[in-house]
């Protein structure tokens, strides 16, 4: 699960959005908001780990819950639906080659998409 759009969502809802709302395994900095949506079918690498992007994430009401206070305080999927006509944010990727990753590792395209 990879997400790069939490800051863009802050602009839409008008409040800080804690990245933990999205429960991603990997958070990416430096990509334009929703860039990950264009990577469907691509192969990515982080260090010696290779991932195949397999699906966009349809967000449910769980992202409306503040991860620190455990209260529903936003309507993120509804806001995405009103703004873009979908409630997708983030991607799922399957591990092709496992290994270790660490904070600060760079993510890049590894090779053309696998068939």
């Amino acid at each position: 699960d990879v997400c790069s759009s939490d800051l863009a969502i802050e602009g839409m809802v008008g409040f800080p959005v804690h990245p933990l709302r999205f429960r991603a395994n990997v958070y990416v900095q430096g990509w334009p908001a929703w860039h990950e949506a264009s990577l469907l079918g691509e192969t990515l690498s982080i260090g010696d780990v290779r991932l195949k992007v397999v699906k966009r994430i349809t967000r449910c009401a769980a992202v409306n819950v503040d991860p620190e206070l455990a209260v529903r305080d936003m309507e993120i999927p509804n806001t995405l639906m009103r703004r873009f006509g979908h409630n997708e944010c983030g991607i799922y990727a399957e591990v092709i080659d496992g290994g270790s990753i660490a904070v600060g590792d760079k993510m890049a395209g590894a090779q053309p998409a696998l068939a």
Side-chain angles (χ1 to χ4, degrees), residues 9-17 73-74:
I9 292 172
E10 285 185 2
M12 288 189 290
V13 298
F15 297 99
V17 176
D73 61 353
M74 292 187 188

Side-chain angles (χ1 to χ4, degrees), residues 18-36:
H18 197 299
L20 290 180
R21 285 180 186 264
F22 300 97
R23 302 169 318 281
N25 297 45
V26 176
Y27 293 91
V28 179
Q29 292 180 323
W31 285 358
W34 288 278
H35 172 69
E36 66 271 16

Side-chain angles (χ1 to χ4, degrees), residues 35-112:
H35 172 69
E36 66 271 16
S38 69
L39 300 175
L40 195 60
E42 295 293 324
T43 302
L44 306 173
S45 64
I46 310 172
D48 58 349
V49 174
R50 289 187 334 125
L51 308 166
K52 180 175 181 183
V53 180
V54 295
K55 184 178 177 183
R56 294 182 185 120
I57 299 172
T58 301
R59 292 298 173 173
C60 67
V63 296
N64 294 333
V65 178
D66 182 307
E68 295 174 337
L69 302 175
V71 296
R72 281 183 196 243
D73 61 353
M74 292 187 188
E75 293 191 6
I76 293 172
N78 290 341
T79 300
L80 292 171
M81 188 61 76
R82 282 192 305 273
R83 181 82 181 262
F84 301 114
H86 64 75
N87 58 358
E88 297 172 346
C89 180
I91 52 174
Y92 290 114
E94 293 177 353
V95 176
I96 297 169
D97 291 316
S100 298
I101 62 173
V103 172
D105 284 353
K106 303 289 184 208
M107 183 180 294
Q111 65 183 25

